[in-house]
Amino acid sequence: MTFAGSGDAFGSGGRFQACIHLRPAGPPSAGPVLLDCGATSLPALRRCGLDPGGIAAVFVSHLHGDHFGGLPFLILGGQFAGRVSPLVVAGPAGTRQRLGDAMECMFPGSSRVRRRFAVEVTELHPGAPDAVVAGVRTQAFPARHPSGAPALILRLALGGRVIAYTGDTAWTPAIAEAAAGADLLIAEAYYWDKAVPHHLRHADLAVHRDELTARRTVLTHMSADMLGHLEQARYETAHDGLVLQL
Ligand SMILES: [Zn+2]
Ligand SMILES: [Zn+2]
């Protein structure tokens, strides 16, 4: 997996917005897929030498621009590059509408164009039975993060590994549930310990450390404040271009 983008919405530390590339090992049974696709994701992927045209599915944690704003560029880029393989977009309820709105806002007419590849939107619902999206077993949990639609914490099983991803959320026990026994938890750590609404802090993860049973935890989506505390962090931290083998 590659953290193509490990930043917050505002370019803190010169980092790209959320964009995590997952490629299962061995013969391709699934993927590669993205976890979130912030507005800066195309340059982020290309810097890492990753082909946006090869992405089978994008899993969207919630409908904020730094998490889904790259989709219009990914879709139009595929159109102009002659993509033929389908692209699945899996996100919370409301994804179909908001993706269409975003495309129309940025590139009028683009949501109605006939392309050589299908864009298939799958909406994920917390509490629903596991979905299989582009070969990835997917479970959604409710996040606490207002974004005009439900926000999700995701648990994905692909290539024999389980990855949990908080997206953006205030602390909720659903994080521990989603991460239970996972090979990796990718956790937002927006601030070090300052109380900010709707987001996770390093302090929250430290307080709830014993409840988090993932084998490994990596922090992402860090503000300038959190980036100033990297040396004190009790977990591994991501940076743009970080590659992990699970
Ligand atoms: Zn957000
Ligand atoms: Zn965000």
Side-chain angles (χ1 to χ4, degrees):
M1 60 178 294
T2 306
F3 284 84
S6 63
D8 63 5
F10 310 114
S12 297
R15 294 173 177 224
F16 290 121
Q17 295 172 1
C19 180
I20 301 162
H21 185 273
L22 308 176
R23 181 167 42 203
S29 56
V33 302
L34 290 186
L35 260 179
D36 279 341
C37 186
T40 56
S41 293
L42 261 58
L45 289 166
R46 294 196 198 283
R47 279 225 176 174
C48 294
L50 299 166
D51 175 18
I55 290 158
V58 179
F59 294 87
V60 175
S61 63
H62 66 291
L63 299 175
H64 275 158
D66 59 316
H67 296 260
F68 91 112
L71 284 169
F73 304 106
L74 181 66
I75 292 166
L76 259 70
Q79 181 182 324
F80 295 131
R83 176 178 180 138
V84 292
S85 57
L87 173 68
V88 181
V89 177
T95 296
R96 188 173 285 102
Q97 176 74 37
R98 291 277 290 280
L99 176 57
D101 291 350
M103 294 197 68
E104 280 308 305
C105 178
M106 292 199 268
F107 300 99
S110 66
S111 72
R112 300 184 298 273
V113 166
R114 281 178 65 98
R115 299 186 182 83
R116 295 171 67 199
F117 67 99
V119 177
E120 298 160 9
V121 177
T122 299
E123 296 190 345
L124 305 168
H125 302 275
D130 295 7
V132 177
V133 177
V136 178
R137 183 165 292 279
T138 311
Q139 234 180 319
F141 298 81
R144 292 173 54 207
H145 188 73
S147 46
L152 304 177
I153 298 162
L154 296 170
R155 180 182 171 98
L156 307 182
L158 73 169
R161 300 290 184 275
V162 174
I163 297 172
Y165 175 46
T166 63
D168 295 356
T169 181
W171 172 261
T172 157
I175 296 170
E177 210 183 323
D183 295 285
L184 176 68
L185 167 64
I186 304 166
E188 176 190 28
Y190 194 36
Y191 274 80
W192 173 249
D193 62 1
K194 181 180 143 190
V196 286
H198 317 311
H199 286 279
L200 267 178
R201 307 169 303 165
H202 183 281
D204 299 311
L205 295 164
V207 164
H208 294 282
R209 193 178 180 94
D210 292 344
E211 297 159 50
L212 298 172
T213 59
R215 270 182 268 290
R216 187 172 183 180
T217 297
V218 175
L219 308 182
T220 191
H221 201 285
M222 293 176 275
S223 66
D225 167 77
M226 179 60 209
L227 290 170
H229 288 88
L230 285 187
E231 287 181 3
Q232 296 157 268
R234 296 177 65 175
Y235 299 94
E236 291 177 73
T237 55
H239 56 83
D240 289 6
L242 173 67
V243 177
L244 300 180
Q245 306 246 359
L246 295 182

